[in-house]
Amino acid sequence: MGLKSKPLSQVRADVPIADVSREELARINLNVPVSVRKSWKEAALREDVTLSELIIKAMSKYSNTQVSK
């Protein structure tokens, strides 16, 4: 007997769907000038997001890809 998935519309409200369906993350390290990092960090604070979220958003637009959260 196999398991069957429910449509998301039928999943209980207390199930953290975003956590369950999140894609695995990979770490990326890069070197940027301190002034660039500072301006990125300030932009992230203004938008009330993490620096990672800001960079992912920008790179998603640049590469025309969507990111699952």
Side-chain angles (χ1 to χ4, degrees):
M1 176 164 59
L3 297 174
K4 294 183 180 178
S5 298
K6 291 181 183 179
L8 290 179
S9 60
Q10 294 180 359
V11 176
R12 292 187 333 254
D14 63 331
V15 175
I17 295 171
D19 291 340
V20 173
S21 61
R22 186 180 1 206
E23 186 176 352
E24 184 179 355
L25 299 177
R27 177 166 292 282
I28 296 177
N29 295 311
L30 64 150
N31 296 319
V32 298
V34 173
S35 61
V36 171
R37 185 196 181 279
K38 182 180 176 188
S39 68
W40 289 355
K41 187 66 178 175
E42 289 171 352
L45 289 170
R46 279 193 306 273
E47 293 190 30
D48 195 29
V49 296
T50 66
L51 186 52
S52 291
E53 290 169 325
L54 182 83
I55 293 170
I56 289 169
K57 182 179 173 183
M59 288 307 300
S60 294
K61 287 180 184 177
Y62 177 80
S63 63
N64 203 23
T65 58
Q66 287 194 325
V67 178
S68 60
K69 292 185 180 182

